């Protein structure tokens, strides 16, 4: 069974007043979408794990440690990180941590939570 890590923002730390965030999005909707995504991955034969980053946290040592001690076939960096200008530097730092700490893992991007399985299949 291929192992997938999904890296996303902790929805309880997101500033939903940020104009970059779609109107009506809530922590609860993000959590439900994440659960649906993980279930879809598991239903398709993948072992999925979630790693959440708190907004404003720039310490990625826990991520680096996880990647150095656990092998993942693919690592999905969610659009909540990639798609916001306010997260640009964080996104860049995450890519470099993944590249350094898990060089064998495929780096995977989805466009929406609903196409994560398709995105994973593209690389694995």
């Amino acid at each position: 069974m291929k192992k997938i890590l999904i890296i996303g923002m902790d929805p309880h730390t997101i500033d939903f007043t940020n104009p970059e965030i779609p109107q009506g999005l809530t922590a609860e909707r993000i959590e439900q979408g994440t659960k649906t995504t993980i279930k879809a991955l598991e239903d398709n034969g993948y072992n999925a794990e979630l790693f959440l980053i708190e907004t404003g946290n720039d310490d990625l040592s826990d991520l680096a440690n996880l990647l150095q001690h656990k092998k993942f076939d693919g690592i999905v960096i969610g659009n909540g990180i990639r798609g916001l200008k306010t997260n640009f530097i964080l996104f860049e730092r995450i890519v470099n941590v993944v590249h350094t700490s898990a060089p064998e893992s495929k780096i995977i991007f989805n466009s929406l939570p609903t196409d994560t399985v398709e995105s994973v299949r593209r690389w694995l």
Side-chain angles (χ1 to χ4, degrees), residues 5-9 50-51 53 63 75-78 81 94 98:
L5 180 66
I6 300 171
I7 303 173
M9 298 304 296
L50 183 61
F51 184 90
I53 298 171
L63 176 60
I75 299 172
V76 177
I77 302 173
I81 294 169
I94 290 169
V98 170

Side-chain angles (χ1 to χ4, degrees), residues 58-81:
D58 62 355
D59 178 6
L60 298 177
S61 59
D62 287 345
L63 176 60
N65 188 48
L66 173 66
L67 296 174
Q68 289 165 2
H69 292 95
K70 222 173 184 183
K71 183 186 179 323
F72 294 94
D73 298 291
I75 299 172
V76 177
I77 302 173
N79 193 48
I81 294 169

Side-chain angles (χ1 to χ4, degrees), residues 77-115:
I77 302 173
N79 193 48
I81 294 169
R82 299 186 333 273
L84 301 178
K85 289 180 185 177
T86 52
N87 286 341
F88 177 75
I89 300 299
L90 176 63
F91 170 54
E92 188 175 62
R93 293 186 67 234
I94 290 169
V95 168
N96 281 295
V97 167
V98 170
H99 175 69
T100 301
S101 302
E104 303 285 322
S105 299
K106 297 293 184 189
I107 298 173
I108 301 168
F109 303 125
N110 58 1
S111 59
L112 295 167
T114 54
D115 72 1

